[in-house]
């Protein structure tokens, strides 16, 4: 099993919603905070949401109020609920530790377009 596996991306119209899921190995899940990152074409990868092992969350200003990160320790999963999506949210989304580990999963493509 790969350490990090992302899923749930797709094509959605502006204003729509998507729910991303990340399955992490149990060892990684308990190491330190987990986060969702994204990389748009021609841009650097950025951290958009993070959650600590205690459940404290933090968000980039660009997604605050629209995205919600959550985790399920029993299932070793981290979820990103994305609402009110904008065209500028188009990117490949990845989950990883915070700070990130060297390993990156394949990511999941999110395309927001009319």
């Amino acid at each position: 099993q790969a350490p990090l596996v992302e899923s749930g991306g797709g094509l959605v119209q502006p204003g729509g919603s998507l729910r991303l899921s990340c399955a992490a190995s149990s060892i990684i899940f308990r190491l330190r905070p987990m986060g969702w990152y994204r990389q748009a074409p021609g841009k650097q990868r950025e951290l958009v949401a993070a959650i600590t092992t205690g459940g404290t969350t933090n968000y980039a200003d660009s997604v605050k109020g629209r995205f919600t990160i959550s985790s399920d320790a029993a299932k070793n999963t981290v979820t990103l609920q994305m609402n009110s999506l904008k065209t500028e949210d188009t990117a490949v989304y990845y989950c990883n530790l915070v700070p990130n580990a060297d390993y990156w999963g394949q990511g999941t493509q999110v395309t927001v377009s009319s």
Side-chain angles (χ1 to χ4, degrees):
Q1 178 187 353
L4 297 164
V5 180
E6 302 92 346
S7 62
L11 172 65
V12 64
Q13 292 185 341
S17 299
L18 280 175
R19 187 176 181 87
L20 307 183
S21 183
C22 170
S25 69
S26 59
I27 295 176
I28 287 180
F29 193 83
R30 289 164 174 75
L31 278 178
R32 56 177 186 264
M34 293 287 295
W36 280 95
Y37 299 74
R38 68 185 181 188
Q39 186 167 23
K43 295 188 177 181
Q44 289 190 332
R45 191 173 291 162
E46 62 173 342
L47 176 65
V48 296
I51 185 166
T52 68
T53 53
T56 300
T57 58
N58 283 286
Y59 300 93
D61 288 343
S62 59
V63 307
K64 201 171 293 184
R66 302 188 296 120
F67 290 10
T68 302
I69 188 172
S70 60
S71 64
D72 186 332
K75 298 180 179 179
N76 296 333
T77 58
V78 182
T79 300
L80 186 68
Q81 177 66 44
M82 305 186 296
N83 299 327
S84 302
L85 283 161
K86 304 176 181 180
T87 55
E88 52 262 43
D89 295 319
T90 295
V92 180
Y93 284 71
Y94 304 86
C95 66
N96 207 317
L97 298 166
V98 181
N100 64 272
D102 291 337
Y103 173 87
W104 291 92
Q106 62 184 14
T108 186
Q109 175 71 48
V110 171
T111 302
V112 185
S113 175
S114 56

